[in-house]
Amino acid sequence: MMKIRVAAIALLGLLAGVAGSVADDYPSRPITMIVPFAAGGPTDVVARIMAEGMRASLGQTVIIENITGAAGSIAVGRATRAAPDGYTLSIGHWSTHVVNGAIYNLPYDLLTDLAPVSLLVSNPQLIVANPKVPATDLKSLVEWIKANPDKVSAGTAGAGSASHIGGIYFQNFSHTSFLFVPYRGTGPAMQDLIGGQIQIMLDQSSNSLPQVRQKQIKAFAVTSKTRLSVAPDIPTVDEAGLPGFYISVWHGLWVPKDTPKPIVERLTTAVRAALADPATQKRLLDLGQEIPPLDQQNPAALAAFQKAEIEKWWPLIKAANIKLD
Ligand code: MLT
């Protein structure tokens, strides 16, 4: 019996040593960050800012790979099947790593098939419209939608995406009804909103703010309790007449489960370095993103938050009986 125990201890020591040596020279080649929506959208923008910010700490390039479809669930599935070697990262957010689990019959478990690295940034949504929509505030927008239900369509990034769920909750809060038009991300959807092919969108502030500033679209409210410091003229939903309509699209970074702990720690260190970098902070804050406190920038905090969000949102989403497109 003693021989077996000694052998087991030796094997564990060997495995620990192998994991340690694997992590010692990690990363020895470029890393791929899988983005679950189309290029040019808010998730892609956060990914590219973080990839650039992490590069110095990692000493390797972080390559962005956009994999679209099914509101990001295809991309997350690809990440769960990747080798747990630290060379495939899964960036996502509230809808891809929480909501999708209540809408799609996923071939993976959002909590156990991925290992958390860190929370990243969060931003509220803006209720935005094409400038030709004849409304000057949220109340008149709701009245216009009610008067023209067959003329109003909202862009989304697919059934279950943040823009889709935000749109459904907007309908519930405002007692309106309108069509949803799915895109491969709110980056492409934004082009049609500016062009007038669609009329409104519940869009992450980071995606809409540049166009609002250029007056290519107009914003009626922000889905948070306080105004965005970088956009102080956009009223909150409480001020604009839809009290309590709060939505925050928070982002996180994950790796495939069983990724060695030293590699996860290395990636967490790189995320913290990026979020502490003044230039990276400025790019994120200018887009209305909020950076979590340092004590939330770790795997345990992301794991606890994601679990709490699943417990909060799955019953609500399932009760809403959201239909896939
Ligand atoms: C995107 O990157 O396109 C967005 O995350 C999708 C959304 O906000 O619905």
Side-chain angles (χ1 to χ4, degrees), residues 2-318:
M2 178 56 86
K3 281 184 182 170
I4 292 174
R5 186 173 297 160
V6 167
I9 290 168
L11 177 62
L12 284 173
L14 179 65
L15 289 175
V18 166
S21 64
V22 162
D24 287 350
D25 63 359
Y26 170 84
S28 58
R29 55 187 164 84
I31 295 164
T32 297
M33 184 185 287
I34 295 178
V35 174
F37 294 105
T43 313
D44 183 67
V45 166
V46 169
R48 291 176 195 274
I49 291 174
M50 288 305 298
E52 201 170 316
M54 291 169 70
R55 183 173 51 184
S57 169
L58 291 169
Q60 281 292 343
T61 306
V62 178
I63 299 163
I64 300 297
E65 183 180 3
N66 301 84
I67 298 175
T68 62
S73 57
I74 291 171
V76 177
R78 180 81 63 81
T80 61
R81 296 189 298 274
D85 57 9
Y87 289 100
T88 302
L89 313 182
S90 172
I91 190 170
H93 55 52
W94 169 62
S95 74
T96 56
H97 288 68
V98 170
V99 172
N100 279 350
I103 291 193
Y104 293 93
N105 184 17
L106 299 176
Y108 52 85
D109 184 305
L110 282 168
L111 282 177
T112 58
D113 287 334
L114 289 165
V117 173
S118 178
L119 280 164
L120 298 179
V121 290
S122 62
N123 66 157
Q125 292 180 322
L126 295 180
I127 303 171
V128 292
N130 174 279
K132 293 196 177 82
V133 169
T136 53
D137 59 19
L138 186 55
K139 282 196 172 73
S140 57
L141 176 69
V142 170
E143 284 158 15
W144 178 76
I145 294 172
K146 286 178 177 175
N148 299 278
D150 54 338
K151 289 183 185 163
V152 182
S153 50
T156 78
S161 61
S163 40
H164 181 223
I165 302 300
I168 287 175
Y169 275 89
F170 176 56
Q171 286 182 330
N172 294 347
F173 267 76
S174 62
H175 308 294
T176 54
S177 173
F178 45 81
L179 292 176
F180 289 113
V181 179
Y183 294 80
R184 291 196 167 277
T186 50
M190 178 56 70
Q191 298 315 308
D192 275 5
L193 183 66
I194 292 168
Q197 286 74 23
I198 53 177
Q199 287 70 45
I200 61 172
M201 188 148 69
L202 270 288
D203 188 28
Q204 293 182 52
S205 61
S206 58
N207 195 49
S208 280
L209 276 178
Q211 280 72 30
V212 171
R213 289 168 178 151
Q214 293 164 23
K215 302 196 184 315
Q216 290 180 298
I217 60 173
K218 51 188 181 182
F220 293 94
V222 58
T223 63
S224 52
K225 293 181 180 174
T226 56
R227 296 191 178 199
L228 289 169
S229 58
V230 292
D233 53 343
I234 301 175
T236 66
V237 283
D238 294 337
E239 294 167 323
L242 271 186
F245 178 58
Y246 307 135
I247 290 182
S248 167
V249 185
W250 52 270
H251 295 73
L253 189 67
W254 291 262
V255 288
K257 69 176 180 182
D258 302 332
T259 299
K261 193 166 182 290
I263 290 178
V264 173
E265 288 169 349
R266 189 87 174 68
L267 288 165
T268 305
T269 300
V271 166
R272 289 177 159 201
L275 293 179
D277 170 56
T280 304
Q281 286 185 344
K282 183 176 185 323
R283 292 177 70 188
L284 293 167
L285 296 171
D286 280 353
L287 292 171
Q289 296 285 4
E290 192 177 332
I291 296 170
L294 186 58
D295 66 2
Q296 292 298 301
Q297 297 174 21
N298 60 64
L302 175 56
F305 186 62
Q306 183 188 15
K307 184 172 183 295
E309 286 282 275
I310 285 175
E311 289 165 0
K312 169 185 173 185
W313 285 100
W314 279 18
L316 294 171
I317 301 283
K318 288 176 177 173

